[in-house]
Amino acid sequence: MKYILEGPRIGLRELVESDWNAVHDYASKPIVTRYQPWGPNTVEDSKAYIQEVLADAAEDPRTRFVFAVIELEEEKLIGAVEINIRDSFNLEGEIGYIIHPDYWGKGYATEAASLILDFGFANLKLHRIFATCDPKNIASSKVLEKIGMFKEGILREHMRLRDGGWRDSYLYSILESEWILRIHKALQFD
C-alpha cells in the first residue's frame, strides 16, 4: 500500500469512497463525537463526509487534505487526520484528528498529528499551524502539547454545537521555526 506519510506504527493515505464504513464505525459512536459540533453520524452522514472529502481533494487550488490513519500491523483504518490551509497569503493551516476509541491511549493520535504537522510544514510550506480543542478534552490538549504546540489562549463561544449551544476552545499553535527546532532536537537524540 502506498502511504503519503509513514510513522513507526501508522501510515497516512488519501481517503477513498470505500472507507465510509470504517469511518462510520468510529464516527457513529457518541463517545467519539462528544467534543465535536457534529455527530454521532448516521450512515448517510458518513457517506456524505467521504463525498465532501473527495470533492475537496479535487479542488484547484487544493486547501483541504484529509488522510486515513492506517494502523500498519493490522492494515486497518483507525481514524482520520487533516490539515486545512486557512490563509494562503499568511501561510497558515489548521489540523484536526480523530481516532477510533479502541485505539485511544496508545499514542496513535500523537503520531498522526505529528505526521500531519510534518506534511504541513515540509510539503505545504506553511509558516504557522494551529489547532483547537474543547477545554474538557484533556487527551486532545495533551496530544497538541506533545507535538510541540503552545497554548495561546481560549476562543470564547466560537463554535456552535448541534444542540444549539456554544463551545469555548483552547487555541494551540506552532511556527515553522519551532517545528524545525523540534526536528533538530529529535535528531540529536537518535
Side-chain angles (χ1 to χ4, degrees):
M1 187 175 294
K2 185 177 182 215
Y3 296 106
I4 304 275
L5 294 167
E6 195 169 317
R9 300 176 304 147
I10 63 169
L12 303 184
R13 67 157 170 79
E14 299 272 359
L15 279 168
V16 295
E17 193 166 359
S18 60
D19 288 332
W20 77 266
N21 200 20
V23 167
H24 185 68
D25 188 40
Y26 61 78
S28 62
K29 297 182 183 315
I31 193 169
V32 172
T33 64
R34 68 182 164 186
Y35 299 122
Q36 303 300 328
W38 54 269
N41 278 10
T42 63
V43 167
E44 294 76 25
D45 292 334
S46 295
K47 287 181 177 180
Y49 165 75
I50 294 292
Q51 292 307 312
E52 177 185 302
V53 166
L54 295 175
D56 289 344
E59 290 290 317
D60 188 22
R62 187 172 178 185
T63 60
R64 184 181 187 200
F65 300 81
V66 183
F67 302 112
V69 177
I70 307 296
E71 198 278 330
L72 294 174
E73 190 174 312
E74 298 177 29
E75 291 190 17
K76 181 179 178 181
L77 190 154
I78 63 167
V81 63
E82 71 178 271
I83 187 163
N84 291 276
I85 299 171
R86 295 297 187 201
D87 185 333
S88 58
F89 179 78
N90 288 309
L91 304 174
E92 182 177 60
E94 178 180 14
I95 63 167
Y97 45 85
I98 192 157
I99 300 292
H100 192 292
D102 290 351
Y103 295 86
W104 286 358
K106 299 175 182 174
Y108 289 108
T110 301
E111 192 173 335
S114 184
L115 287 173
I116 203 70
L117 275 188
D118 294 348
F119 180 79
F121 288 122
N123 297 72
L124 301 179
K125 307 297 183 201
L126 296 175
H127 171 71
R128 178 179 185 272
I129 297 175
F130 71 93
T132 62
C133 73
D134 189 310
K136 294 180 287 234
N137 192 345
I138 295 165
S140 192
S141 289
K142 287 181 180 178
V143 166
L144 297 172
E145 290 167 6
K146 284 179 189 173
I147 65 170
M149 291 187 137
F150 296 94
K151 188 189 304 181
E152 292 186 348
I154 296 177
L155 299 170
R156 298 180 319 130
E157 293 189 6
H158 94 288
M159 189 172 290
R160 191 173 196 171
L161 302 176
R162 60 187 167 268
D163 67 3
W166 294 92
R167 180 192 105 181
D168 293 345
S169 291
Y170 284 148
L171 175 63
Y172 286 84
S173 75
I174 185 169
L175 303 176
E176 179 187 26
S177 58
E178 295 163 340
W179 171 76
I180 290 169
L181 185 61
R182 182 178 66 99
I183 298 296
H184 181 71
K185 283 181 179 177
L187 291 174
Q188 287 180 330
F189 295 108
D190 283 348

